[in-house]
Coordinates of all heavy atoms in Angstrom, one line a residue:
D10 N 34.1 -7.1 147.1 CA 33.0 -8.0 146.8 C 33.4 -9.4 147.1 O 34.5 -9.7 147.5 CB 32.3 -7.7 145.5 CG 33.2 -8.1 144.3 OD1 34.3 -8.8 144.5 OD2 32.9 -7.8 143.2
R15 N 37.2 -4.4 144.2 CA 36.9 -3.2 145.0 C 35.6 -2.6 144.4 O 35.4 -2.6 143.2 CB 38.1 -2.3 144.9 CG 39.3 -2.8 145.5 CD 40.6 -2.1 145.1 NE 40.4 -0.7 145.6 CZ 41.0 0.3 145.1 NH1 41.8 0.2 144.1 NH2 40.8 1.5 145.6
Y16 N 34.8 -2.0 145.3 CA 33.6 -1.3 144.9 C 33.3 -0.2 145.9 O 33.9 -0.1 147.0 CB 32.4 -2.2 144.7 CG 31.8 -2.7 146.0 CD1 30.7 -2.1 146.5 CD2 32.4 -3.8 146.6 CE1 30.2 -2.6 147.7 CE2 31.8 -4.3 147.8 CZ 30.7 -3.7 148.3 OH 30.2 -4.1 149.5
N17 N 32.5 0.7 145.5 CA 32.1 1.9 146.3 C 30.9 1.4 147.2 O 29.8 1.3 146.7 CB 31.6 3.0 145.4 CG 31.5 4.3 146.1 OD1 31.1 4.3 147.3 ND2 31.7 5.4 145.4
R18 N 31.2 1.2 148.4 CA 30.2 0.7 149.4 C 29.0 1.7 149.6 O 27.9 1.3 149.7 CB 30.8 0.4 150.7 CG 29.9 -0.1 151.8 CD 30.5 -0.2 153.2 NE 32.0 -0.1 153.3 CZ 32.7 -1.0 153.9 NH1 32.2 -2.0 154.5 NH2 34.0 -0.9 153.9
K19 N 29.3 3.0 149.5 CA 28.3 4.0 149.7 C 27.4 4.1 148.5 O 26.2 4.4 148.6 CB 28.9 5.3 150.1 CG 27.9 6.4 150.5 CD 28.5 7.5 151.2 CE 27.4 8.4 151.8 NZ 28.0 9.6 152.4
Y20 N 28.0 4.0 147.3 CA 27.2 4.1 146.1 C 27.5 2.8 145.3 O 28.2 2.9 144.3 CB 27.6 5.4 145.3 CG 27.3 6.6 146.1 CD1 28.4 7.3 146.7 CD2 26.0 7.1 146.2 CE1 28.1 8.5 147.4 CE2 25.8 8.2 147.0 CZ 26.8 8.9 147.6 OH 26.5 10.0 148.3
P21 N 27.0 1.7 145.7 CA 27.3 0.4 145.0 C 26.6 0.2 143.7 O 25.5 0.8 143.4 CB 26.8 -0.6 146.0 CG 25.7 0.0 146.7 CD 26.1 1.5 146.8
P22 N 27.2 -0.5 142.8 CA 26.5 -0.9 141.5 C 25.3 -1.8 141.9 O 25.3 -2.4 142.9 CB 27.6 -1.6 140.8 CG 28.6 -2.1 141.8 CD 28.5 -1.2 142.9
N23 N 24.4 -1.9 140.9 CA 23.2 -2.7 141.1 C 23.0 -3.4 139.8 O 22.2 -3.0 139.0 CB 22.0 -1.9 141.5 CG 20.8 -2.8 141.9 OD1 20.7 -3.9 141.4 ND2 19.9 -2.2 142.6
E24 N 23.7 -4.5 139.5 CA 23.6 -5.2 138.3 C 22.2 -5.8 138.0 O 21.7 -5.9 136.9 CB 24.7 -6.3 138.1 CG 26.0 -5.8 138.0 CD 27.1 -6.8 137.8 OE1 26.8 -8.0 137.7 OE2 28.3 -6.5 137.7
S25 N 21.5 -6.2 139.1 CA 20.2 -6.8 138.9 C 19.2 -5.7 138.4 O 18.2 -6.1 137.7 CB 19.7 -7.4 140.2 OG 19.5 -6.5 141.2
K26 N 19.4 -4.5 138.7 CA 18.6 -3.4 138.3 C 19.0 -2.8 137.0 O 18.2 -2.5 136.1 CB 18.5 -2.3 139.4 CG 17.5 -1.2 139.0 CD 17.4 -0.2 140.2 CE 16.3 0.8 139.9 NZ 16.2 1.7 141.1
Y27 N 20.3 -2.6 136.8 CA 20.9 -1.8 135.7 C 21.7 -2.7 134.7 O 22.1 -2.2 133.6 CB 21.8 -0.7 136.1 CG 21.0 0.3 137.0 CD1 21.4 0.6 138.3 CD2 20.0 1.1 136.5 CE1 20.7 1.5 139.1 CE2 19.3 2.0 137.2 CZ 19.7 2.2 138.5 OH 19.0 3.1 139.3
G28 N 21.9 -4.0 135.0 CA 22.7 -4.8 134.1 C 24.2 -4.5 134.3 O 24.6 -3.9 135.2
Y31 N 27.2 -0.6 132.3 CA 27.9 0.4 133.0 C 28.4 -0.1 134.4 O 28.4 0.6 135.4 CB 27.1 1.7 133.2 CG 26.6 2.3 131.9 CD1 25.3 2.3 131.5 CD2 27.6 2.9 131.1 CE1 24.9 2.9 130.3 CE2 27.2 3.6 129.9 CZ 25.9 3.5 129.5 OH 25.5 4.1 128.4
R32 N 28.9 -1.3 134.4 CA 29.4 -2.0 135.6 C 28.3 -2.0 136.7 O 28.7 -1.9 137.9 CB 30.6 -1.3 136.1 CG 31.9 -1.7 135.4 CD 33.1 -1.3 136.2 NE 34.3 -1.7 135.5 CZ 35.1 -0.8 134.9 NH1 34.8 0.5 134.9 NH2 36.2 -1.2 134.3
G33 N 27.1 -2.1 136.3 CA 26.0 -2.1 137.3 C 25.5 -0.7 137.7 O 24.6 -0.6 138.6
Y34 N 25.9 0.3 137.1 CA 25.4 1.7 137.3 C 24.4 2.0 136.3 O 24.3 1.5 135.2 CB 26.5 2.7 137.4 CG 27.4 2.5 138.7 CD1 28.6 1.9 138.6 CD2 26.9 3.0 139.9 CE1 29.3 1.8 139.8 CE2 27.6 2.8 141.1 CZ 28.8 2.2 141.0 OH 29.6 2.0 142.2
K35 N 23.6 3.0 136.6 CA 22.5 3.5 135.7 C 23.0 4.0 134.4 O 22.4 3.9 133.4 CB 21.7 4.5 136.5 CG 20.6 5.2 135.7 CD 19.7 6.1 136.5 CE 20.4 7.0 137.4 NZ 19.5 7.9 138.1
E39 N 27.4 7.9 136.2 CA 27.5 7.2 137.5 C 28.7 6.2 137.6 O 29.5 6.2 138.6 CB 26.2 6.4 137.8 CG 25.1 7.3 138.3 CD 24.0 6.5 138.9 OE1 24.1 5.2 139.0 OE2 23.0 7.1 139.3
F43 N 31.3 7.1 140.4 CA 31.3 6.2 141.6 C 32.3 5.1 141.5 O 32.7 4.6 142.6 CB 29.9 5.6 141.7 CG 28.8 6.6 142.0 CD1 27.5 6.5 141.5 CD2 29.0 7.7 142.9 CE1 26.5 7.3 141.8 CE2 28.0 8.6 143.2 CZ 26.7 8.4 142.6
Y44 N 32.8 4.8 140.3 CA 33.8 3.7 140.2 C 35.1 4.2 139.8 O 36.1 4.1 140.5 CB 33.3 2.6 139.3 CG 34.2 1.4 139.2 CD1 34.4 0.6 140.3 CD2 35.0 1.2 138.1 CE1 35.3 -0.5 140.3 CE2 36.0 0.2 138.1 CZ 36.1 -0.6 139.1 OH 37.0 -1.6 139.1

Side-chain angles (χ1 to χ4, degrees):
D10 66 14
R15 300 165 60 205
Y16 72 96
N17 191 328
R18 179 189 344 233
K19 188 164 186 184
Y20 300 104
N23 186 341
E24 289 183 3
S25 62
K26 184 173 183 179
Y27 299 118
Y31 296 111
R32 282 197 179 105
Y34 288 103
K35 173 172 49 175
E39 282 193 2
F43 294 143
Y44 182 73

